[in-house]
Amino acid sequence: MATVAQNITTITTQAAVLDSLVTQFLAAKALIDTAENEIRQAQPTANHHARAGRIRLALYAHALMGNPGLNGGKTVAALAAEAWTGVS
């Protein structure tokens, strides 16, 4: 069993890892949001809301963080690939 000091070190070290992941998540979300908006502008009559993974993909990723079994545990990349296959 770890000591209190060791546990505090683990917590603070991993908190820094989480800070880095938050920064990466926000950057990826911004890129995804921009791409989704550009697709909607390029295809104004398409209903991309009808297909899971075509909009708000970053929100799905966020939900997976709290519930890894969501949607059968399908990865964000797998959902995106399935959602956008054949769209141009």
Side-chain angles (χ1 to χ4, degrees):
M1 186 166 160
T3 67
V4 170
Q6 289 169 326
N7 283 324
I8 290 170
T9 298
T10 297
I11 290 167
T12 56
T13 300
Q14 294 309 304
V17 170
L18 289 175
D19 284 339
S20 176
L21 292 172
V22 168
T23 299
Q24 292 175 47
F25 173 82
L26 292 173
K29 182 182 182 311
L31 292 171
I32 288 171
D33 289 348
T34 297
E36 289 174 347
N37 285 331
E38 289 178 3
I39 289 169
R40 283 196 289 278
Q41 288 173 0
Q43 299 178 339
T45 60
N47 183 6
H48 293 296
H49 294 269
R51 180 93 184 254
R54 286 196 182 167
I55 61 164
R56 295 188 285 281
L57 193 60
L59 295 179
Y60 174 68
H62 187 260
L64 277 177
M65 290 179 208
N67 183 1
L70 184 68
N71 197 22
K74 185 178 291 185
T75 66
V76 180
L79 180 62
E82 290 173 9
W84 291 105
T85 296
V87 177
S88 58

